[in-house]
Amino acid sequence: MDILTLFPIIILIGFMFVMTRSAKKKQQQAAEMRDSMQPGTGVRTIGGMYATVKEVNDETVLLDAGPGVELLFAKNAIGAVLTDDEYNRIVHGIEAELQGDVVPDDASSLTDADADDADAGAAADGRTVDLGKTEDAPRKTDGESDAK
C-alpha cells in the first residue's frame, strides 16, 4: 500500500486519540472538583440552582438551599464548586472589595497631564499644535477636487 492511501486513516486515528484524551481530562477535572467539596462550600447544580453544601457522602451531597430547605443530590449533579467571593456575589449580591487599580469613571486621569498642558499652552499662545500632519501636498479650497 502507498503511504498516501494510509495518510487519511492515520490522521483520523490521531484526531480520535486527541478527542478522547481531552474528554478524559475534563472528566478527571470534574471528579476532582466534586471531591473538593466540603461542608459550607457554595455550589451550582447542573440545573442552575445555587446552594451551600451541608454534608458530603460517597455518592450523594446534602445541599442547604435556604432556611429549612435541604435537598439530596447525586454528586454528578454538581456543575461547579464556587469560591466564597463568587457565591456571595451571585447569591447575596455582595461584591468583594476591589483589589488593585480601580477604573476611573472618566478618561481625564488616563491622559498624560504634562502633554495636555503643553498643547493647551501652545494653543493659548496662538502657536499651532503639531498633529503630525505634513505640508507636502498643496491645500485645496472649497470646490476643488482630485477628479479630472
Side-chain angles (χ1 to χ4, degrees):
M1 267 200 191
D2 188 18
I3 189 75
L4 291 176
T5 46
L6 291 178
F7 188 69
I9 296 171
I10 293 170
I11 295 295
L12 183 63
I13 291 172
F15 184 71
M16 289 172 47
F17 175 75
V18 170
M19 292 296 287
T20 57
R21 179 138 171 91
S22 65
K24 192 180 287 188
K25 272 187 177 181
K26 285 181 184 180
Q27 287 176 347
Q28 195 173 32
Q29 287 175 344
E32 288 174 6
M33 180 247 338
R34 289 182 185 113
D35 290 338
S36 71
M37 284 187 297
Q38 297 175 354
T41 306
V43 296
R44 182 183 70 232
T45 65
I46 58 174
M49 184 183 73
Y50 292 92
T52 306
V53 175
K54 189 168 186 178
E55 183 180 315
V56 180
N57 298 318
D58 291 336
E59 296 293 321
T60 60
V61 178
L62 185 63
L63 300 179
D64 182 17
V69 180
E70 293 179 353
L71 304 166
L72 187 64
F73 275 84
K75 271 190 175 180
N76 292 340
I78 304 301
V81 177
L82 308 172
T83 63
D84 291 337
D85 292 338
E86 187 177 13
Y87 182 77
N88 287 331
R89 180 182 59 80
I90 293 170
V91 175
H92 303 296
I94 301 171
E95 292 290 330
E97 292 187 25
L98 295 174
Q99 303 291 331
D101 296 336
V102 177
V103 178
D105 290 339
D106 61 350
S108 63
S109 63
L110 299 176
T111 59
D112 187 16
D114 296 334
D116 289 341
D117 292 340
D119 289 345
D125 293 344
R127 297 179 289 166
T128 59
V129 178
D130 182 23
L131 298 176
K133 295 182 179 179
T134 59
E135 291 292 327
D136 294 341
R139 290 184 176 227
K140 296 178 184 149
T141 59
D142 289 339
E144 291 182 1
S145 68
D146 289 334
K148 293 185 179 183

